[in-house]
Amino acid sequence: MNLWARTLRQLAVLAVALFFFSCEDDTSILGFKNPNKKLKVNFVDIPVESSVLLMDSLRTSNYYLSQGETNRLLVGKYNDDLFGEVSSNAITQFFTTSTAVTQFESGAVFDSVSLQLRFDFYSYGSLGFTPQTISVHEVENELMIDSLAYYFNKSNTPYNPTPLGTKTFAILPESFQEYINERKDTTITISLPLDAAFGQRIFDSAIKYRNATSTADSAFVNVSAFVKQFKGIAVVANDGDKVVGFNPSATASRITLHYHDTDTDSLQAHLSFTGVISYNQIKSNRSSTALAGLNQYSQPFTPDNNLRYIQAGTGTLTRLDFSRFYEFVDQDTNSTMIVNSAELHLGIPESTTYPQINVLSLRAITGEGHLKKIASRETNPAQYMADSTSLSLYAGQLGLAGNMFTPMSASGTMYTITQADSIHYNGFLTLFAQQLFKKEEHKVRFKYFALIPEDPQIAKSVNRLAFHEQNIKLRVYYTRPNEPTQ
């Protein structure tokens, strides 16, 4: 190699090195003196470039892959100085419960109809005991019961603008949090009367079933026929400063028909929200914030205030770029390097009075900005085989969560980032970093990852976080054999 070429190569290595802060360390990560002087123990803080990404679709429907997934109706609105106005409406079908299938007695007469919703003690927004106003509307378009996986935060189901009923109520988030912390089995509901004509139509369907002379008369007990006649309700946020959660699976969440017959007053029949389609339509207005330019799905956006944003419910994510990690490990001088430990640091989040996200995870992102999902075995078998091969080459350190590629932890569970010291967000991903380091034929080396809210769940909450971009780094401890002395 001539002098000119050697000089260029040295300059290139120096330019890469300037990206990082590196240090030789005569101690191991546990603080013990390095017993093997043939190995250099070093660490390097690799800056992780980042941006903000908006998911193109976030499924918010309930009762789909429901094992371990929260079923929740989110209703309300609040203003956030960092994220703007956030609002959520809940759309849900309803159907008769097992106790309501019993045919009404002869002489039964409709009296009224009401809606009850049980709080699940989730709330987000103002911490004060302040009024919240919601309204209930009848849905105008049929929800497709075989399309449960395809209702998202951006889905739009039209509803009649004339409300069936309205309700103003107040909650104290501090009390709700106490119920959660103490795991109290407490039932607190709101109840509001609905338009009598709406209830009369449902009651008439029950009477028609009682007097049925054909299958067509039995819509009251046939869910596919029932939801064509009664398409559902929308619970809409009108005014307030909180988003609250209701439990659609609870027995206490229901529509109640009040009626009497010739022998008894104050009889009731119930319709529930369990097992039918329900989802949350979650919107945000970021026009007055640093996120005003975040309006294209799957396109990296860099706010001008050096903050990186994550918000559940709206699909606002922070995108991480691991390119500099690859630049570091691919240097010729690191060809024999061993990664001993790797820890992703996000730093201290921007101060807020709102509850933060407790747990974050990572998802791989394609070059087009979409979350990487495994292809369908049925519709795209060739890509499915390629994806399966890619997963296998990571030796169990890359798995699937909701069909999306996600790094795994040393224990074999999903890799997560938490506030280990109640201040800083960080998490070790040593084994995954070791797999990223290895070059193998047909192995996809993923560069981009998204930070995903896990607790509370991304699709059933609106919690948020913001980090300073300069604090996001990957700290890598590594060993490298010493060059033999001549």
Side-chain angles (χ1 to χ4, degrees):
M1 181 182 295
N2 61 37
L3 179 60
W4 174 244
R6 186 182 303 115
T7 302
L8 282 178
R9 180 171 179 175
Q10 290 171 344
L11 288 173
V13 171
L14 177 61
V16 170
L18 287 175
F19 280 140
F20 315 115
F21 169 76
S22 183
C23 180
E24 290 189 17
D25 195 349
D26 195 39
T27 60
S28 72
I29 193 171
L30 297 178
F32 298 105
K33 288 289 184 182
N34 177 17
N36 189 346
K37 294 299 182 179
K38 293 182 179 180
L39 297 176
K40 288 183 180 179
V41 179
N42 308 277
F43 75 86
V44 58
D45 284 337
I46 303 174
V48 177
E49 293 187 358
S50 58
S51 54
V52 182
L53 197 71
L54 190 62
M55 288 180 65
D56 59 357
S57 57
L58 174 62
R59 181 188 61 77
T60 58
S61 55
N62 294 305
Y63 309 114
Y64 179 75
L65 299 176
S66 57
Q67 184 176 1
E69 180 177 317
T70 299
N71 292 318
R72 173 176 288 154
L73 302 178
L74 279 173
V75 184
K77 61 172 59 176
Y78 80 101
N79 273 295
D80 187 311
D81 56 346
L82 288 180
F83 288 81
E85 183 183 80
V86 179
S87 64
S88 180
N89 299 332
I91 315 295
T92 181
Q93 295 174 323
F94 55 90
F95 187 57
T96 55
T97 65
S98 58
T99 56
V101 172
T102 304
Q103 293 180 355
F104 285 179
E105 301 84 350
S106 177
V109 176
F110 171 76
D111 292 323
S112 63
V113 61
S114 61
L115 169 67
Q116 293 80 42
L117 293 171
R118 177 181 174 174
F119 292 103
D120 69 359
F121 304 131
Y122 174 83
S123 71
Y124 207 79
S126 165
L127 301 179
F129 188 71
T130 50
Q132 317 297 310
T133 301
I134 63 174
S135 59
V136 180
H137 302 254
E138 190 167 9
V139 167
E140 294 183 328
N141 286 5
E142 181 184 353
L143 301 172
M144 304 307 295
I145 205 161
D146 59 346
S147 300
L148 196 57
Y150 301 103
Y151 287 97
F152 308 104
N153 59 335
K154 65 179 183 180
S155 298
N156 185 28
T157 301
Y159 54 83
N160 191 316
T162 302
L164 298 171
T166 61
K167 179 76 173 183
T168 298
F169 61 93
I171 65 164
L172 187 60
E174 182 180 359
S175 297
F176 275 16
Q177 191 58 48
E178 288 178 1
Y179 296 138
I180 295 172
N181 294 342
E182 297 174 12
R183 298 183 179 181
K184 287 185 177 180
D185 186 13
T186 304
T187 298
I188 301 177
T189 64
I190 59 169
S191 180
L192 62 156
L194 300 180
D195 180 66
F198 171 71
Q200 183 70 63
R201 286 166 43 219
I202 301 173
F203 188 81
D204 291 345
S205 177
I207 297 300
K208 192 173 185 179
Y209 160 65
R210 184 193 67 188
N211 302 328
T213 58
S214 67
T215 303
D217 296 332
S218 300
F220 187 69
V221 293
N222 182 331
V223 63
S224 59
F226 185 86
V227 296
K228 292 182 185 297
Q229 294 183 18
F230 305 97
K231 298 178 175 64
I233 60 172
V235 186
V236 176
N238 294 133
D239 194 20
D241 55 13
K242 298 179 184 66
V243 175
V244 299
F246 299 104
N247 183 358
S249 305
T251 303
S253 291
R254 60 198 183 185
I255 292 175
T256 300
L257 299 176
H258 305 269
Y259 69 101
H260 69 274
D261 61 21
T262 53
D263 299 319
T264 309
D265 288 330
S266 304
L267 296 172
Q268 296 181 355
H270 304 294
L271 301 101
S272 79
F273 309 114
T274 303
V276 291
I277 290 176
S278 61
Y279 77 94
N280 300 306
Q281 182 188 49
I282 305 172
K283 298 180 180 180
S284 61
N285 182 349
R286 298 178 287 268
S287 59
S288 61
T289 73
L291 291 173
L294 184 66
N295 48 33
Q296 292 186 339
Y297 294 116
S298 306
Q299 297 299 311
F301 172 75
T302 305
D304 58 11
N305 60 358
N306 297 321
L307 290 181
R308 299 297 179 258
Y309 296 80
I310 307 166
Q311 186 175 49
T314 65
T316 304
L317 308 177
T318 288
R319 172 184 179 268
L320 304 180
D321 183 347
F322 281 15
S323 295
R324 288 184 176 178
F325 172 76
Y326 289 123
E327 291 174 14
F328 173 71
V329 299
D330 288 344
Q331 294 177 38
D332 290 344
T333 55
N334 290 329
S335 60
T336 58
M337 183 184 79
I338 299 172
V339 175
N340 301 119
S341 174
E343 185 176 14
L344 181 61
H345 290 257
L346 304 181
I348 302 174
E350 186 75 0
S351 178
T352 177
T353 58
Y354 301 125
Q356 301 188 31
I357 298 168
N358 300 318
V359 180
L360 296 164
S361 66
L362 293 177
R363 297 288 188 279
I365 301 177
T366 66
E368 294 76 29
H370 302 288
L371 298 179
K372 172 60 179 172
K373 296 183 179 181
I374 192 167
S376 168
R377 186 201 300 260
E378 291 74 24
T379 61
N380 195 348
Q383 185 60 49
Y384 173 81
M385 288 301 298
D387 288 345
S388 299
T389 299
S390 181
L391 286 171
S392 67
L393 292 174
Y394 276 85
Q397 296 309 303
L398 188 63
L400 295 174
N403 289 328
M404 291 179 285
F405 284 41
T406 184
M408 307 298 286
S409 69
S411 63
T413 59
M414 180 192 301
Y415 167 73
T416 57
I417 302 167
T418 60
Q419 278 183 296
D421 57 2
S422 301
I423 301 175
H424 301 82
Y425 279 77
N426 55 62
F428 283 93
L429 70 167
T430 303
L431 297 182
F432 180 66
Q434 291 172 349
Q435 291 300 320
L436 288 179
F437 172 49
K438 294 180 181 179
K439 292 182 181 179
E440 298 178 59
E441 188 178 3
H442 307 302
K443 185 175 186 177
V444 178
R445 298 178 81 182
F446 293 99
K447 289 173 55 178
Y448 308 114
F449 294 86
L451 289 166
I452 302 289
E454 292 291 344
D455 178 24
Q457 293 173 1
I458 183 172
K460 304 299 171 63
S461 64
V462 291
N463 294 51
R464 49 75 137 188
L465 278 172
F467 294 97
H468 290 275
E469 59 89 17
Q470 65 267 25
N471 294 334
I472 303 175
K473 61 187 178 183
L474 185 65
R475 172 164 286 191
V476 178
Y477 282 84
Y478 62 96
T479 53
R480 187 168 53 198
N482 285 329
E483 294 293 333
T485 59
Q486 299 296 327

